[in-house]
Amino acid sequence: MSESTKLVEYQQILNEKIGGTDNASDIFDRASTDGGGRTPSRSSETSLNDGRPRTADSAEPAFPWPGETFIIRLRDTGQTVTLVDGRLELCDEFRPEGGCHWRCEEKDGWFGFRNCVSGTYIGHDGKKKFIAKVSHHREHEYFCVRFNPKRGGFELLTRHGPELWRMNVGQDGKTLVETKGDSVTWDFFKLSHGSLGKLIS
């Protein structure tokens, strides 16, 4: 199966209405391709406290796009990219106060992800580590999002001089770092305008 066919199939799956016992994680699991293996299926009874949106009532899997708000989840573990006391890290625990809500924006063709609480953007610090401490969207905060047809999910790539490096997970399992080679992939869950209250309640 060609990469373009896989991408079309992936988009069709994302466009399906989530109903019955399917949850957002299950839809992404079904989108995994033969080459990348399948992520373990998760029950529809999964609670919000483990960092995985449970149903379409709270969040839906989607392609990242400017003007929308997302939860960014590490595909392999379900941990979410979260701003905690000013530190950007992966969290096992879902935090309904909004530290894991990221607004996708665009500038000069580059995506950026602004935290809905702090107003700061995810970016690299020039030392191969990702932070979220600045309120501007400039070169260090520029992202390219690329679908990975073999593993499922998306790669997050950022400018590193003339190259694109990937957002990866540090050795401690929490920090986010730049790497030049292969990386993890990410799932994006779009929050609807009325879903924030449902996530908190």
PDB file of all heavy atoms in Angstrom, residues 92-108:
ATOM      1  N   ASP A  92       1.713  11.994  33.196  1.00  0.00           N
ATOM      2  CA  ASP A  92       0.858  10.811  33.201  1.00  0.00           C
ATOM      3  C   ASP A  92      -0.567  11.198  33.585  1.00  0.00           C
ATOM      4  O   ASP A  92      -1.522  10.564  33.158  1.00  0.00           O
ATOM      5  CB  ASP A  92       1.373   9.779  34.212  1.00  0.00           C
ATOM      6  CG  ASP A  92       2.766   9.279  33.853  1.00  0.00           C
ATOM      7  OD1 ASP A  92       3.020   9.085  32.657  1.00  0.00           O
ATOM      8  OD2 ASP A  92       3.583   9.109  34.764  1.00  0.00           O
ATOM      9  N   GLU A  93      -0.679  12.208  34.407  1.00  0.00           N
ATOM     10  CA  GLU A  93      -1.964  12.598  34.970  1.00  0.00           C
ATOM     11  C   GLU A  93      -2.594  13.720  34.154  1.00  0.00           C
ATOM     12  O   GLU A  93      -1.934  14.697  33.804  1.00  0.00           O
ATOM     13  CB  GLU A  93      -1.750  13.059  36.415  1.00  0.00           C
ATOM     14  CG  GLU A  93      -3.014  13.444  37.158  1.00  0.00           C
ATOM     15  CD  GLU A  93      -2.695  13.849  38.590  1.00  0.00           C
ATOM     16  OE1 GLU A  93      -2.319  12.961  39.376  1.00  0.00           O
ATOM     17  OE2 GLU A  93      -2.807  15.036  38.905  1.00  0.00           O
ATOM     18  N   PHE A  94      -3.858  13.563  33.835  1.00  0.00           N
ATOM     19  CA  PHE A  94      -4.572  14.602  33.100  1.00  0.00           C
ATOM     20  C   PHE A  94      -4.829  15.798  34.016  1.00  0.00           C
ATOM     21  O   PHE A  94      -5.272  15.634  35.149  1.00  0.00           O
ATOM     22  CB  PHE A  94      -5.898  14.050  32.576  1.00  0.00           C
ATOM     23  CG  PHE A  94      -6.679  15.057  31.789  1.00  0.00           C
ATOM     24  CD1 PHE A  94      -6.299  15.385  30.500  1.00  0.00           C
ATOM     25  CD2 PHE A  94      -7.784  15.675  32.340  1.00  0.00           C
ATOM     26  CE1 PHE A  94      -7.012  16.317  29.773  1.00  0.00           C
ATOM     27  CE2 PHE A  94      -8.496  16.596  31.621  1.00  0.00           C
ATOM     28  CZ  PHE A  94      -8.117  16.921  30.332  1.00  0.00           C
ATOM     29  N   ARG A  95      -4.556  17.008  33.519  1.00  0.00           N
ATOM     30  CA  ARG A  95      -4.712  18.218  34.323  1.00  0.00           C
ATOM     31  C   ARG A  95      -5.781  19.100  33.691  1.00  0.00           C
ATOM     32  O   ARG A  95      -5.530  19.806  32.718  1.00  0.00           O
ATOM     33  CB  ARG A  95      -3.393  18.976  34.419  1.00  0.00           C
ATOM     34  CG  ARG A  95      -2.349  18.205  35.210  1.00  0.00           C
ATOM     35  CD  ARG A  95      -0.999  18.892  35.207  1.00  0.00           C
ATOM     36  NE  ARG A  95      -0.055  18.142  36.012  1.00  0.00           N
ATOM     37  CZ  ARG A  95       0.226  18.414  37.285  1.00  0.00           C
ATOM     38  NH1 ARG A  95      -0.365  19.427  37.880  1.00  0.00           N
ATOM     39  NH2 ARG A  95       1.103  17.688  37.946  1.00  0.00           N
ATOM     40  N   PRO A  96      -7.006  19.069  34.235  1.00  0.00           N
ATOM     41  CA  PRO A  96      -8.128  19.780  33.618  1.00  0.00           C
ATOM     42  C   PRO A  96      -8.038  21.293  33.693  1.00  0.00           C
ATOM     43  O   PRO A  96      -8.827  21.984  33.062  1.00  0.00           O
ATOM     44  CB  PRO A  96      -9.341  19.262  34.416  1.00  0.00           C
ATOM     45  CG  PRO A  96      -8.776  18.882  35.746  1.00  0.00           C
ATOM     46  CD  PRO A  96      -7.404  18.344  35.456  1.00  0.00           C
ATOM     47  N   GLU A  97      -7.082  21.846  34.441  1.00  0.00           N
ATOM     48  CA  GLU A  97      -6.985  23.305  34.534  1.00  0.00           C
ATOM     49  C   GLU A  97      -6.466  23.944  33.252  1.00  0.00           C
ATOM     50  O   GLU A  97      -6.455  25.161  33.123  1.00  0.00           O
ATOM     51  CB  GLU A  97      -6.103  23.713  35.716  1.00  0.00           C
ATOM     52  CG  GLU A  97      -4.644  23.303  35.621  1.00  0.00           C
ATOM     53  CD  GLU A  97      -4.355  21.953  36.232  1.00  0.00           C
ATOM     54  OE1 GLU A  97      -5.312  21.178  36.405  1.00  0.00           O
ATOM     55  OE2 GLU A  97      -3.174  21.687  36.554  1.00  0.00           O
ATOM     56  N   GLY A  98      -6.022  23.152  32.299  1.00  0.00           N
ATOM     57  CA  GLY A  98      -5.687  23.704  30.991  1.00  0.00           C
ATOM     58  C   GLY A  98      -4.218  23.723  30.646  1.00  0.00           C
ATOM     59  O   GLY A  98      -3.847  24.211  29.582  1.00  0.00           O
ATOM     60  N   GLY A  99      -3.335  23.225  31.504  1.00  0.00           N
ATOM     61  CA  GLY A  99      -1.913  23.238  31.210  1.00  0.00           C
ATOM     62  C   GLY A  99      -1.535  22.375  30.025  1.00  0.00           C
ATOM     63  O   GLY A  99      -0.434  22.491  29.494  1.00  0.00           O
ATOM     64  N   CYS A 100      -2.451  21.497  29.603  1.00  0.00           N
ATOM     65  CA  CYS A 100      -2.165  20.620  28.457  1.00  0.00           C
ATOM     66  C   CYS A 100      -2.970  21.033  27.231  1.00  0.00           C
ATOM     67  O   CYS A 100      -3.060  20.267  26.265  1.00  0.00           O
ATOM     68  CB  CYS A 100      -2.453  19.164  28.814  1.00  0.00           C
ATOM     69  SG  CYS A 100      -4.161  18.843  29.246  1.00  0.00           S
ATOM     70  N   HIS A 101      -3.537  22.225  27.239  1.00  0.00           N
ATOM     71  CA  HIS A 101      -4.313  22.709  26.090  1.00  0.00           C
ATOM     72  C   HIS A 101      -3.447  23.652  25.258  1.00  0.00           C
ATOM     73  O   HIS A 101      -2.946  24.656  25.764  1.00  0.00           O
ATOM     74  CB  HIS A 101      -5.572  23.436  26.553  1.00  0.00           C
ATOM     75  CG  HIS A 101      -6.507  22.559  27.316  1.00  0.00           C
ATOM     76  ND1 HIS A 101      -7.532  23.054  28.085  1.00  0.00           N
ATOM     77  CD2 HIS A 101      -6.558  21.208  27.447  1.00  0.00           C
ATOM     78  CE1 HIS A 101      -8.186  22.049  28.655  1.00  0.00           C
ATOM     79  NE2 HIS A 101      -7.617  20.933  28.279  1.00  0.00           N
ATOM     80  N   TRP A 102      -3.290  23.329  23.972  1.00  0.00           N
ATOM     81  CA  TRP A 102      -2.387  24.069  23.094  1.00  0.00           C
ATOM     82  C   TRP A 102      -3.141  24.582  21.876  1.00  0.00           C
ATOM     83  O   TRP A 102      -3.761  23.803  21.156  1.00  0.00           O
ATOM     84  CB  TRP A 102      -1.216  23.186  22.669  1.00  0.00           C
ATOM     85  CG  TRP A 102      -0.433  22.693  23.842  1.00  0.00           C
ATOM     86  CD1 TRP A 102      -0.595  21.510  24.511  1.00  0.00           C
ATOM     87  CD2 TRP A 102       0.609  23.396  24.533  1.00  0.00           C
ATOM     88  NE1 TRP A 102       0.288  21.430  25.550  1.00  0.00           N
ATOM     89  CE2 TRP A 102       1.045  22.574  25.598  1.00  0.00           C
ATOM     90  CE3 TRP A 102       1.229  24.643  24.346  1.00  0.00           C
ATOM     91  CZ2 TRP A 102       2.062  22.946  26.472  1.00  0.00           C
ATOM     92  CZ3 TRP A 102       2.244  25.013  25.212  1.00  0.00           C
ATOM     93  CH2 TRP A 102       2.651  24.165  26.262  1.00  0.00           C
ATOM     94  N   ARG A 103      -3.056  25.879  21.669  1.00  0.00           N
ATOM     95  CA  ARG A 103      -3.683  26.520  20.511  1.00  0.00           C
ATOM     96  C   ARG A 103      -2.712  26.495  19.337  1.00  0.00           C
ATOM     97  O   ARG A 103      -1.575  26.972  19.447  1.00  0.00           O
ATOM     98  CB  ARG A 103      -4.033  27.972  20.856  1.00  0.00           C
ATOM     99  CG  ARG A 103      -4.791  28.712  19.763  1.00  0.00           C
ATOM    100  CD  ARG A 103      -6.232  28.327  19.756  1.00  0.00           C
ATOM    101  NE  ARG A 103      -7.017  29.200  18.877  1.00  0.00           N
ATOM    102  CZ  ARG A 103      -8.289  29.001  18.611  1.00  0.00           C
ATOM    103  NH1 ARG A 103      -8.919  27.979  19.170  1.00  0.00           N
ATOM    104  NH2 ARG A 103      -8.955  29.816  17.817  1.00  0.00           N
ATOM    105  N   CYS A 104      -3.134  25.905  18.229  1.00  0.00           N
ATOM    106  CA  CYS A 104      -2.289  25.849  17.046  1.00  0.00           C
ATOM    107  C   CYS A 104      -2.411  27.159  16.271  1.00  0.00           C
ATOM    108  O   CYS A 104      -3.521  27.619  15.987  1.00  0.00           O
ATOM    109  CB  CYS A 104      -2.708  24.673  16.166  1.00  0.00           C
ATOM    110  SG  CYS A 104      -1.703  24.468  14.676  1.00  0.00           S
ATOM    111  N   GLU A 105      -1.274  27.763  15.949  1.00  0.00           N
ATOM    112  CA  GLU A 105      -1.250  29.009  15.198  1.00  0.00           C
ATOM    113  C   GLU A 105      -0.280  28.872  14.027  1.00  0.00           C
ATOM    114  O   GLU A 105       0.508  27.930  13.974  1.00  0.00           O
ATOM    115  CB  GLU A 105      -0.847  30.166  16.116  1.00  0.00           C
ATOM    116  CG  GLU A 105      -1.823  30.364  17.270  1.00  0.00           C
ATOM    117  CD  GLU A 105      -1.471  31.547  18.157  1.00  0.00           C
ATOM    118  OE1 GLU A 105      -0.420  32.185  17.919  1.00  0.00           O
ATOM    119  OE2 GLU A 105      -2.244  31.830  19.088  1.00  0.00           O
ATOM    120  N   GLU A 106      -0.361  29.816  13.106  1.00  0.00           N
ATOM    121  CA  GLU A 106       0.493  29.752  11.919  1.00  0.00           C
ATOM    122  C   GLU A 106       1.136  31.106  11.652  1.00  0.00           C
ATOM    123  O   GLU A 106       0.494  32.147  11.781  1.00  0.00           O
ATOM    124  CB  GLU A 106      -0.324  29.327  10.698  1.00  0.00           C
ATOM    125  CG  GLU A 106       0.506  29.147   9.438  1.00  0.00           C
ATOM    126  CD  GLU A 106      -0.334  28.715   8.247  1.00  0.00           C
ATOM    127  OE1 GLU A 106      -1.580  28.723   8.364  1.00  0.00           O
ATOM    128  OE2 GLU A 106       0.257  28.391   7.202  1.00  0.00           O
ATOM    129  N   LYS A 107       2.407  31.075  11.284  1.00  0.00           N
ATOM    130  CA  LYS A 107       3.126  32.288  10.908  1.00  0.00           C
ATOM    131  C   LYS A 107       4.118  31.944   9.794  1.00  0.00           C
ATOM    132  O   LYS A 107       4.961  31.058   9.965  1.00  0.00           O
ATOM    133  CB  LYS A 107       3.880  32.869  12.115  1.00  0.00           C
ATOM    134  CG  LYS A 107       4.645  34.150  11.797  1.00  0.00           C
ATOM    135  CD  LYS A 107       5.384  34.657  13.024  1.00  0.00           C
ATOM    136  CE  LYS A 107       6.184  35.913  12.707  1.00  0.00           C
ATOM    137  NZ  LYS A 107       6.958  36.375  13.880  1.00  0.00           N
ATOM    138  N   ASP A 108       3.991  32.632   8.671  1.00  0.00           N
ATOM    139  CA  ASP A 108       4.885  32.405   7.526  1.00  0.00           C
ATOM    140  C   ASP A 108       4.939  30.935   7.114  1.00  0.00           C
ATOM    141  O   ASP A 108       5.985  30.419   6.707  1.00  0.00           O
ATOM    142  CB  ASP A 108       6.302  32.901   7.834  1.00  0.00           C
ATOM    143  CG  ASP A 108       6.342  34.401   8.109  1.00  0.00           C
ATOM    144  OD1 ASP A 108       5.489  35.126   7.564  1.00  0.00           O
ATOM    145  OD2 ASP A 108       7.223  34.841   8.879  1.00  0.00           O
TER     146      ASP A 108
END
